[in-house]
């Protein structure tokens, strides 16, 4: 009698992938992380004081609202969390799971980013139409749209099947970077993490400046980087 042991399906090892395409993929993830920083700054400063992507922060705000009896903050942070979950579910349906033999940039990732772009186009229309007539309900709807879009983006990046690679939740990236510095790891292995974290902070700074001083162009900070990533990724081959 013979028995067979089921094999574990793994994405193609990075060592078997084109280093040039791997660097390009990382550069595109950095651009998406810049977008994330912009979206979080815009959400926090202009759309009710919650985040579009930092769900741990929103969970803290939700708990804080309960302690303070702040129903408005509870609604804002709670709706952001639910919207992000909806985006993650929608994105996961589009991209599927990592598969053996996946290219560096699976085509379904680009499809998911197109879905994210469509959500941000709706965001743009609502933002521009209501810019001079601000309303708390409209702000909440805009925050929810932004959270849905970034939930889709989170699922898209997960399709790469690369542990620790993300453009939205980066506490683990910071922890890994500091641990690597403490262990005196080579700078080449730490640089990608530092680039992603820097992109997040630069995006937040730019998003804050635009939201406060030039709000009419704020949606461009979300749409232009995304169009760039979609355009470049659509031509990637591996």
């Amino acid at each position: 009698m013979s028995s067979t042991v089921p094999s574990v399906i793994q994405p193609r090892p990075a060592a078997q992938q084109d280093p040039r395409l791997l660097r390009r993929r990382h550069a595109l993830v950095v651009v998406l992380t810049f977008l994330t920083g912009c979206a979080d700054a815009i959400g926090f400063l202009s759309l009710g004081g919650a985040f579009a992507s930092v769900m741990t922060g929103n969970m803290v705000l939700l708990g804080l609202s309960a302690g303070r009896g702040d129903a408005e903050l509870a609604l804002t942070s709670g709706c952001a969390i639910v919207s992000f979950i909806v985006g993650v579910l929608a994105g996961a349906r589009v991209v599927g799971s990592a598969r053996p033999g996946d290219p560096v940039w699976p085509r379904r990732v680009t499809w998911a980013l197109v879905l994210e772009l469509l959500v941000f186009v709706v965001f743009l229309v609502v933002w521009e139409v209501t810019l001079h007539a601000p309303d708390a309900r409209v702000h909440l709807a805009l925050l929810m749209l932004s959270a849905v879009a970034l939930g889709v983006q989170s699922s898209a990046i997960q399709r790469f099947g690369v542990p620790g690679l993300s453009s939205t939740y980066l506490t683990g990236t910071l922890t890994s970077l500091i641990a690597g510095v403490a262990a005196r790891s080579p700078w080449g292995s730490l640089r990608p993490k530092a680039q992603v974290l820097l992109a997040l902070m630069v995006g937040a700074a730019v998003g804050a400046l635009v939201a406060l001083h030039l709000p009419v162009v704020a949606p461009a900070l979300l749409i232009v980087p995304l169009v760039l990533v979609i355009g470049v990724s659509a031509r990637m081959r591996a």
Side-chain angles (χ1 to χ4, degrees), residues 76-158:
T76 302
S77 55
C79 285
I81 294 169
V82 171
S83 300
F84 186 85
I85 292 171
V86 170
V88 170
L89 291 173
R93 291 295 298 271
V94 173
V95 298
S97 303
R99 299 175 180 178
D102 265 350
V104 171
W105 191 284
R107 185 173 300 177
R108 283 181 174 269
V109 173
T110 301
W111 294 354
L113 296 180
V114 170
L115 174 59
E116 180 184 2
L117 177 61
L118 293 176
V119 177
F120 274 136
V121 168
V122 176
F123 179 99
L124 165 66
V125 173
V126 177
W127 177 280
E128 298 298 342
V129 168
T130 63
L131 182 61
H132 301 295
D135 179 89
R137 291 170 297 181
V138 173
H139 286 173
L140 180 59
L142 286 168
L143 178 66
M144 293 173 69
L145 285 170
S146 186
V148 167
L150 291 176
V152 172
Q153 181 179 303
S154 294
S155 287
I157 301 304
Q158 288 298 296

Side-chain angles (χ1 to χ4, degrees), residues 49-51 53-64 73 77 81:
F51 300 103
S53 81
V54 187
M55 292 304 112
T56 49
N58 286 335
M59 291 176 186
V60 171
L61 291 175
L62 188 59
L64 181 64
L73 181 59
S77 55
I81 294 169

Side-chain angles (χ1 to χ4, degrees), residues 4-10:
T4 58
V5 178
S7 59
V8 178
I9 297 177
Q10 296 287 350

Side-chain angles (χ1 to χ4, degrees), residues 172-185 190 193:
T173 303
L174 177 60
T175 302
S176 178
L177 174 63
I178 300 306
V181 170
R184 299 183 180 179
S185 299
L190 300 178
K193 300 179 180 67

